[in-house]
Amino acid sequence: MKIGELSRRTGVPTRLLRYYEEQDLLDPDRTDNGYRDYAESSVQDVQQIRGLLDSGLTTEMIRTILPYLSGPDEILLPAEHLTPRTAALLQGHIDRIQARIDCLARNRDRLSAYLAAVRPEPDAEMVDR
């Protein structure tokens, strides 16, 4: 399929698809006239790339693990391919995710405490009825 069709099917602009190619995340074939020719599997690849980018992974991390993705919920990275550098990249990302979770939890707790402090308490008489 050509880049325009891949864009329509994935909702990803052609400009981003070209960027993914520049970042070695996509590797389309080329036709005799130089047009990109994407395989059907490129639709799933682009969806995975989008999901990984949305989760905060960098293109560098995605490039490292993309060959080992077998689906949106599964990474099959054999232990012998997990280099110290890749492990450090992944651990750093896990740490950043945890820091965001901690920050969100603190903000949730503060907002809940604020609401509890400013909401009027139910009238005791109304509760008994």
Side-chain angles (χ1 to χ4, degrees), residues 23-27 44-45 48-49 52 57-71 74-78 81-82 86 90:
Q23 296 298 309
D24 293 324
L25 301 178
L26 290 177
D27 186 25
Q44 181 179 339
D45 293 342
Q48 284 187 318
I49 291 165
L52 294 168
L57 266 69
T58 64
T59 55
E60 179 184 8
M61 285 189 268
I62 295 169
R63 185 174 39 257
T64 302
I65 65 172
L66 196 59
Y68 307 105
L69 294 176
S70 62
E74 193 170 4
I75 297 176
L76 301 173
L77 181 61
H81 292 275
L82 183 63
T86 301
L90 294 174

Side-chain angles (χ1 to χ4, degrees), residues 2 29-37:
K2 290 192 173 56
D29 291 330
R30 293 285 182 155
T31 61
D32 291 339
N33 58 4
Y35 289 123
R36 290 169 177 84
D37 185 26

Side-chain angles (χ1 to χ4, degrees), residues 104-117:
L104 289 169
R106 280 191 308 275
N107 288 337
R108 179 206 56 219
D109 294 346
R110 288 176 186 148
L111 290 171
S112 294
Y114 173 76
L115 281 176

Side-chain angles (χ1 to χ4, degrees), residues 76-97:
L76 301 173
L77 181 61
E80 63 270 14
H81 292 275
L82 183 63
T83 65
R85 182 174 176 273
T86 301
L89 282 171
L90 294 174
Q91 186 60 55
H93 186 64
I94 290 167
D95 294 344
R96 284 188 298 281
I97 289 172

